[in-house]
Amino acid sequence: MDVGEKANEITCFQPLLNTVTELAGVVSTSDAMHTQREHADHLLGRGAHYIVIVKGNQKKLCKQIKSLPWKEIPLQGCTKGVVHGCTEIRRVKVATVNNLSFPGARQAVQIKHRRTDRKTGKSTISTVYAVTSFTA
């Protein structure tokens, strides 16, 4: 769907999904731009699930997720590899939630990403958060 010059993707989300006849059982993944309550409501209303990235555009939700007791939550998975001359390690934790300020949110996800340049030894660590309507 063409978004157009003076519009953005947010306004095209529901019209695009309305072109799909059956969404029941479909999983919608999206970046932080589409972490919108209206989008979640639309997906849930059509029987679909979502997994969305949470950043600063949803300040209250981001604060709620960051305040979860991540240190106490067990590691769910870890991947290691070499990409573009860097060693990368990703650690994933998942928490069951019932009281986040986002429609249908049932789990919160924390992904810690450590990237080390193999030539310089310089490391960076970033943390990404997400929510999903899937239950455990």
Side-chain angles (χ1 to χ4, degrees):
M1 177 176 273
D2 184 12
V3 174
E5 275 185 49
K6 302 214 180 212
N8 69 37
E9 295 173 16
I10 293 172
T11 59
C12 295
F13 185 86
Q14 289 184 29
L16 175 63
L17 289 181
N18 287 337
T19 66
V20 180
T21 307
E22 185 60 48
L23 283 180
V26 169
V27 180
S28 172
T29 61
S30 62
D31 62 12
M33 178 186 289
H34 292 291
T35 305
Q36 306 289 329
R37 285 167 179 77
E38 297 80 17
H39 293 356
D41 283 332
H42 184 76
L43 289 164
L44 295 169
R46 301 234 2 235
H49 284 282
Y50 63 79
I51 300 171
V52 294
I53 302 299
V54 178
K55 289 187 177 177
N57 64 325
Q58 293 289 335
K59 288 180 178 33
K60 182 177 180 180
L61 177 61
C62 192
K63 185 177 178 179
Q64 286 179 316
I65 292 173
K66 285 182 178 182
S67 71
L68 291 171
W70 292 110
K71 289 182 180 181
E72 300 166 24
I73 296 169
L75 187 65
Q76 299 291 311
C78 183
T79 62
K80 298 178 184 180
V82 177
V83 180
H84 303 294
C86 293
T87 302
E88 293 189 348
I89 301 171
R90 286 186 180 87
R91 293 185 168 107
V92 179
K93 292 183 174 187
V94 181
T96 297
V97 294
N98 291 312
N99 58 351
L100 293 181
S101 62
F102 199 77
R106 296 296 172 254
Q107 293 188 90
V109 181
Q110 180 194 65
I111 304 166
K112 286 211 176 238
H113 178 234
R114 180 185 181 114
R115 186 175 187 163
T116 304
D117 186 299
R118 297 177 81 186
K119 288 183 182 175
T120 66
K122 181 182 175 189
S123 292
T124 58
I125 298 174
S126 61
T127 304
V128 175
Y129 295 98
V131 292
T132 181
S133 56
F134 280 112
T135 60

